[in-house]
Amino acid sequence: MQVLKTVEEMNVRELADLMSAVADALESAADEAEEDGDARAVANSMSLACSLRGCSSGLEACDLKAAELLLEQGITFVHLLNSRKNGPGTLH
């Protein structure tokens, strides 16, 4: 069983790996948005990905709250792009 950690509980390497994975997902989302002709989604995805990569390269000096907010925004943006692509969901 895998133990989940908060950003504060992660060591620098774990946090950098997570930020890199989210940046990779954002870059993939940008590729898909480009195929769909959505220039705004491409720009937003790439901006978030670059911000994550920049913050992850200097995590020792980076504010953990800023890293956490960037991660949250990146994950949420990928989720929103995927939700939009899959069409409207069912409301409960």
Side-chain angles (χ1 to χ4, degrees), residues 36-53:
D36 296 338
D38 189 346
R40 184 177 295 163
V42 172
N44 289 334
S45 294
M46 292 306 296
S47 292
L48 272 169
C50 289
S51 295
L52 279 164
R53 292 203 191 280

PDB file of all heavy atoms in Angstrom, residues 36-53:
ATOM      1  N   ASP A  36      -6.194  20.320 -31.533  1.00  0.00           N
ATOM      2  CA  ASP A  36      -7.581  20.776 -31.570  1.00  0.00           C
ATOM      3  C   ASP A  36      -7.709  22.231 -32.006  1.00  0.00           C
ATOM      4  O   ASP A  36      -8.816  22.744 -32.135  1.00  0.00           O
ATOM      5  CB  ASP A  36      -8.234  20.613 -30.189  1.00  0.00           C
ATOM      6  CG  ASP A  36      -8.333  19.163 -29.760  1.00  0.00           C
ATOM      7  OD1 ASP A  36      -8.293  18.272 -30.631  1.00  0.00           O
ATOM      8  OD2 ASP A  36      -8.458  18.916 -28.536  1.00  0.00           O
ATOM      9  N   GLY A  37      -6.576  22.911 -32.198  1.00  0.00           N
ATOM     10  CA  GLY A  37      -6.593  24.307 -32.620  1.00  0.00           C
ATOM     11  C   GLY A  37      -6.910  25.286 -31.498  1.00  0.00           C
ATOM     12  O   GLY A  37      -7.351  26.403 -31.754  1.00  0.00           O
ATOM     13  N   ASP A  38      -6.674  24.888 -30.251  1.00  0.00           N
ATOM     14  CA  ASP A  38      -6.975  25.737 -29.101  1.00  0.00           C
ATOM     15  C   ASP A  38      -5.695  26.432 -28.631  1.00  0.00           C
ATOM     16  O   ASP A  38      -5.010  25.971 -27.721  1.00  0.00           O
ATOM     17  CB  ASP A  38      -7.588  24.891 -27.985  1.00  0.00           C
ATOM     18  CG  ASP A  38      -8.131  25.721 -26.837  1.00  0.00           C
ATOM     19  OD1 ASP A  38      -7.822  26.927 -26.755  1.00  0.00           O
ATOM     20  OD2 ASP A  38      -8.869  25.138 -26.010  1.00  0.00           O
ATOM     21  N   ALA A  39      -5.395  27.573 -29.252  1.00  0.00           N
ATOM     22  CA  ALA A  39      -4.155  28.292 -28.969  1.00  0.00           C
ATOM     23  C   ALA A  39      -4.087  28.784 -27.524  1.00  0.00           C
ATOM     24  O   ALA A  39      -3.013  28.793 -26.916  1.00  0.00           O
ATOM     25  CB  ALA A  39      -4.006  29.476 -29.922  1.00  0.00           C
ATOM     26  N   ARG A  40      -5.214  29.179 -26.953  1.00  0.00           N
ATOM     27  CA  ARG A  40      -5.216  29.667 -25.570  1.00  0.00           C
ATOM     28  C   ARG A  40      -4.851  28.543 -24.602  1.00  0.00           C
ATOM     29  O   ARG A  40      -4.071  28.751 -23.681  1.00  0.00           O
ATOM     30  CB  ARG A  40      -6.580  30.246 -25.212  1.00  0.00           C
ATOM     31  CG  ARG A  40      -6.590  30.854 -23.812  1.00  0.00           C
ATOM     32  CD  ARG A  40      -7.898  31.490 -23.467  1.00  0.00           C
ATOM     33  NE  ARG A  40      -8.109  32.634 -24.346  1.00  0.00           N
ATOM     34  CZ  ARG A  40      -9.285  33.199 -24.519  1.00  0.00           C
ATOM     35  NH1 ARG A  40     -10.345  32.746 -23.908  1.00  0.00           N
ATOM     36  NH2 ARG A  40      -9.414  34.235 -25.324  1.00  0.00           N
ATOM     37  N   ALA A  41      -5.389  27.352 -24.806  1.00  0.00           N
ATOM     38  CA  ALA A  41      -5.065  26.213 -23.944  1.00  0.00           C
ATOM     39  C   ALA A  41      -3.599  25.821 -24.094  1.00  0.00           C
ATOM     40  O   ALA A  41      -2.948  25.447 -23.117  1.00  0.00           O
ATOM     41  CB  ALA A  41      -5.974  25.025 -24.248  1.00  0.00           C
ATOM     42  N   VAL A  42      -3.071  25.913 -25.309  1.00  0.00           N
ATOM     43  CA  VAL A  42      -1.653  25.623 -25.541  1.00  0.00           C
ATOM     44  C   VAL A  42      -0.793  26.591 -24.728  1.00  0.00           C
ATOM     45  O   VAL A  42       0.107  26.183 -23.993  1.00  0.00           O
ATOM     46  CB  VAL A  42      -1.286  25.721 -27.040  1.00  0.00           C
ATOM     47  CG1 VAL A  42       0.216  25.615 -27.240  1.00  0.00           C
ATOM     48  CG2 VAL A  42      -2.011  24.652 -27.845  1.00  0.00           C
ATOM     49  N   ALA A  43      -1.085  27.886 -24.849  1.00  0.00           N
ATOM     50  CA  ALA A  43      -0.301  28.907 -24.150  1.00  0.00           C
ATOM     51  C   ALA A  43      -0.397  28.742 -22.634  1.00  0.00           C
ATOM     52  O   ALA A  43       0.617  28.818 -21.932  1.00  0.00           O
ATOM     53  CB  ALA A  43      -0.768  30.302 -24.560  1.00  0.00           C
ATOM     54  N   ASN A  44      -1.594  28.508 -22.130  1.00  0.00           N
ATOM     55  CA  ASN A  44      -1.769  28.356 -20.684  1.00  0.00           C
ATOM     56  C   ASN A  44      -1.075  27.102 -20.164  1.00  0.00           C
ATOM     57  O   ASN A  44      -0.437  27.132 -19.110  1.00  0.00           O
ATOM     58  CB  ASN A  44      -3.253  28.339 -20.316  1.00  0.00           C
ATOM     59  CG  ASN A  44      -3.900  29.693 -20.472  1.00  0.00           C
ATOM     60  OD1 ASN A  44      -3.253  30.722 -20.390  1.00  0.00           O
ATOM     61  ND2 ASN A  44      -5.202  29.694 -20.711  1.00  0.00           N
ATOM     62  N   SER A  45      -1.190  26.006 -20.888  1.00  0.00           N
ATOM     63  CA  SER A  45      -0.542  24.755 -20.477  1.00  0.00           C
ATOM     64  C   SER A  45       0.971  24.915 -20.449  1.00  0.00           C
ATOM     65  O   SER A  45       1.634  24.498 -19.485  1.00  0.00           O
ATOM     66  CB  SER A  45      -0.906  23.609 -21.431  1.00  0.00           C
ATOM     67  OG  SER A  45      -2.262  23.295 -21.349  1.00  0.00           O
ATOM     68  N   MET A  46       1.517  25.508 -21.485  1.00  0.00           N
ATOM     69  CA  MET A  46       2.963  25.674 -21.548  1.00  0.00           C
ATOM     70  C   MET A  46       3.472  26.664 -20.500  1.00  0.00           C
ATOM     71  O   MET A  46       4.536  26.462 -19.925  1.00  0.00           O
ATOM     72  CB  MET A  46       3.389  26.101 -22.958  1.00  0.00           C
ATOM     73  CG  MET A  46       3.188  25.010 -24.007  1.00  0.00           C
ATOM     74  SD  MET A  46       3.981  23.438 -23.572  1.00  0.00           S
ATOM     75  CE  MET A  46       5.709  23.903 -23.557  1.00  0.00           C
ATOM     76  N   SER A  47       2.699  27.698 -20.227  1.00  0.00           N
ATOM     77  CA  SER A  47       3.100  28.655 -19.190  1.00  0.00           C
ATOM     78  C   SER A  47       3.157  27.985 -17.826  1.00  0.00           C
ATOM     79  O   SER A  47       4.118  28.180 -17.066  1.00  0.00           O
ATOM     80  CB  SER A  47       2.123  29.834 -19.140  1.00  0.00           C
ATOM     81  OG  SER A  47       2.228  30.604 -20.304  1.00  0.00           O
ATOM     82  N   LEU A  48       2.139  27.196 -17.504  1.00  0.00           N
ATOM     83  CA  LEU A  48       2.142  26.478 -16.230  1.00  0.00           C
ATOM     84  C   LEU A  48       3.279  25.464 -16.172  1.00  0.00           C
ATOM     85  O   LEU A  48       3.954  25.330 -15.145  1.00  0.00           O
ATOM     86  CB  LEU A  48       0.804  25.771 -16.021  1.00  0.00           C
ATOM     87  CG  LEU A  48      -0.293  26.588 -15.352  1.00  0.00           C
ATOM     88  CD1 LEU A  48      -1.633  25.860 -15.443  1.00  0.00           C
ATOM     89  CD2 LEU A  48       0.058  26.867 -13.908  1.00  0.00           C
ATOM     90  N   ALA A  49       3.497  24.748 -17.277  1.00  0.00           N
ATOM     91  CA  ALA A  49       4.584  23.754 -17.307  1.00  0.00           C
ATOM     92  C   ALA A  49       5.939  24.432 -17.087  1.00  0.00           C
ATOM     93  O   ALA A  49       6.760  23.941 -16.297  1.00  0.00           O
ATOM     94  CB  ALA A  49       4.576  22.998 -18.642  1.00  0.00           C
ATOM     95  N   CYS A  50       6.169  25.552 -17.740  1.00  0.00           N
ATOM     96  CA  CYS A  50       7.445  26.275 -17.572  1.00  0.00           C
ATOM     97  C   CYS A  50       7.587  26.816 -16.153  1.00  0.00           C
ATOM     98  O   CYS A  50       8.687  26.789 -15.586  1.00  0.00           O
ATOM     99  CB  CYS A  50       7.543  27.406 -18.591  1.00  0.00           C
ATOM    100  SG  CYS A  50       7.793  26.824 -20.280  1.00  0.00           S
ATOM    101  N   SER A  51       6.509  27.288 -15.580  1.00  0.00           N
ATOM    102  CA  SER A  51       6.548  27.778 -14.200  1.00  0.00           C
ATOM    103  C   SER A  51       6.891  26.653 -13.234  1.00  0.00           C
ATOM    104  O   SER A  51       7.699  26.831 -12.317  1.00  0.00           O
ATOM    105  CB  SER A  51       5.202  28.399 -13.810  1.00  0.00           C
ATOM    106  OG  SER A  51       4.953  29.547 -14.574  1.00  0.00           O
ATOM    107  N   LEU A  52       6.282  25.492 -13.435  1.00  0.00           N
ATOM    108  CA  LEU A  52       6.581  24.341 -12.587  1.00  0.00           C
ATOM    109  C   LEU A  52       8.039  23.921 -12.719  1.00  0.00           C
ATOM    110  O   LEU A  52       8.712  23.655 -11.727  1.00  0.00           O
ATOM    111  CB  LEU A  52       5.668  23.165 -12.930  1.00  0.00           C
ATOM    112  CG  LEU A  52       4.280  23.217 -12.312  1.00  0.00           C
ATOM    113  CD1 LEU A  52       3.347  22.239 -13.000  1.00  0.00           C
ATOM    114  CD2 LEU A  52       4.358  22.915 -10.832  1.00  0.00           C
ATOM    115  N   ARG A  53       8.524  23.851 -13.947  1.00  0.00           N
ATOM    116  CA  ARG A  53       9.923  23.445 -14.160  1.00  0.00           C
ATOM    117  C   ARG A  53      10.886  24.466 -13.551  1.00  0.00           C
ATOM    118  O   ARG A  53      11.897  24.102 -12.949  1.00  0.00           O
ATOM    119  CB  ARG A  53      10.202  23.247 -15.636  1.00  0.00           C
ATOM    120  CG  ARG A  53       9.452  22.043 -16.204  1.00  0.00           C
ATOM    121  CD  ARG A  53      10.098  21.495 -17.439  1.00  0.00           C
ATOM    122  NE  ARG A  53       9.235  20.536 -18.098  1.00  0.00           N
ATOM    123  CZ  ARG A  53       9.097  19.261 -17.722  1.00  0.00           C
ATOM    124  NH1 ARG A  53       9.757  18.813 -16.682  1.00  0.00           N
ATOM    125  NH2 ARG A  53       8.299  18.449 -18.383  1.00  0.00           N
TER     126      ARG A  53
END
